[in-house]
Amino acid sequence: MSMYVTSKDGTRIRYDRAGEGPAVILVDGALCHRSFGPMSGIAALLAEHLTVFNYDRRGRGESGDTVPYAVEREIEDIEALIGAAGGSATLAGLSSGAVLALDAAGRLPGVERVIAYEAPLTTQEGDRTPPEHLARLQELVTAGRRGDAVAYFMTDMAGVPAEAVAGMRAAPVWPALEAVAHTLPYDTAVLGNGRFDAERGAPIKVPALVMSGELGVPPIVAAARHIAETLPDGRHAELAGQSHEVAPEAIAPAIVEFVTS
């Protein structure tokens, strides 16, 4: 069932609701939305056990995009979805969506649990996402250079080899990536300085499952373990055979087990 919820600033957020049981809200990472990326497959598997809310983050798919953007508005979007779920829910995020889910879990009273898969954070000193990344992405988006913004994000920020990105630009999937390129600065803002320290983790009191893939990038895997150890009620799990691009059939059982245990 597809419907809308209205966020605090008046932005309409589109979501699908399916299944029965405890509520879980899926929070997408960069360039993905309700019908593009892994969440539709994850939602279908979860709906056999849970009530699943799969939504378009603001600026994507069929959701609105009220300006100016602020991370606080995205957290208010999640708050509105929790209201639609009856006042309480688990948050489950992938990649930058995992960071948003963690931060929302520390601010919203209706979050019962939080699940974070491969949040692109670091335990090291210095910024993982220096300010020039946000400035450059915004410059490219403002100039209408959506494809270049996607390419910059993939190569300079995500570490994808330039030759691989060049091949992707000729692939059928590229227009779908360009369509949401204007939200890349949003995800960059969500990451903040890209670090997870005691100060960032302190507000998160709910049970947290922090996951990484067996084949994940070592700094992100190390950060996942660190996040789990930092949180007062956190635990880490590694998904066998998985990379940053997690398979729905690999992550769905872990989510179900954590939510229903």
Side-chain angles (χ1 to χ4, degrees):
M1 182 184 303
S2 294
M3 56 196 76
Y4 287 91
V5 68
T6 302
S7 194
K8 192 172 291 185
D9 71 344
T11 304
R12 298 182 76 211
I13 302 298
R14 183 64 179 266
Y15 69 94
D16 293 337
R17 174 175 176 160
E20 296 291 339
V24 60
I25 296 170
L26 304 181
V27 189
D28 255 319
L31 298 171
C32 298
H33 52 85
R34 201 165 41 95
S35 55
F36 181 77
M39 286 304 196
S40 59
I42 294 171
L45 294 174
L46 294 181
E48 298 175 12
H49 309 275
L50 307 169
T51 301
V52 185
F53 291 76
N54 184 21
Y55 77 105
D56 289 332
R57 284 176 55 188
R58 61 174 53 209
R60 312 178 191 198
E62 298 179 67
S63 286
D65 192 21
T66 305
V67 295
Y69 175 82
V71 176
E72 290 75 12
R73 303 293 83 77
E74 289 228 61
I75 291 176
E76 289 168 359
D77 299 344
I78 293 173
E79 185 177 25
L81 288 160
I82 292 172
S88 63
T90 293
L91 306 182
L94 306 182
S95 193
S96 57
V99 181
L100 181 58
L102 286 166
D103 287 346
R107 302 189 199 184
L108 300 178
V111 178
E112 293 186 318
R113 300 173 187 81
V114 61
I115 299 164
Y117 182 80
E118 293 228 339
L121 300 173
T122 183
T123 62
Q124 305 301 314
E125 291 298 323
D127 293 352
R128 180 179 173 85
T129 53
E132 55 263 31
H133 282 326
L134 179 57
R136 180 56 175 161
L137 283 172
Q138 194 59 63
E139 176 187 348
L140 291 169
V141 169
T142 300
R145 296 168 58 187
R146 288 174 170 263
D148 291 339
V150 175
Y152 178 84
F153 171 78
M154 289 185 170
T155 55
D156 290 63
M157 296 180 65
V160 178
E163 57 271 21
V165 174
M168 290 179 65
R169 294 189 82 144
V173 73
W174 194 257
L177 299 175
E178 288 191 351
V180 290
H182 62 287
T183 64
L184 287 171
Y186 303 174
D187 286 279
T188 306
V190 165
L191 298 183
N193 62 15
R195 296 198 303 270
F196 192 92
D197 51 24
E199 181 180 0
R200 192 165 195 171
I204 305 171
K205 308 298 186 185
V206 299
L209 174 62
V210 187
M211 291 188 283
S212 57
E214 179 187 14
L215 307 179
V217 178
I220 292 180
V221 173
R225 295 183 183 278
H226 171 76
I227 293 168
E229 293 169 358
T230 300
L231 296 176
D233 194 0
R235 65 178 178 181
H236 176 259
E238 181 177 274
L239 297 185
Q242 298 303 302
S243 64
H244 197 65
E245 306 298 323
V246 67
E249 58 271 20
I251 195 171
I255 294 174
V256 171
E257 191 278 331
F258 184 65
V259 173
T260 59
S261 63

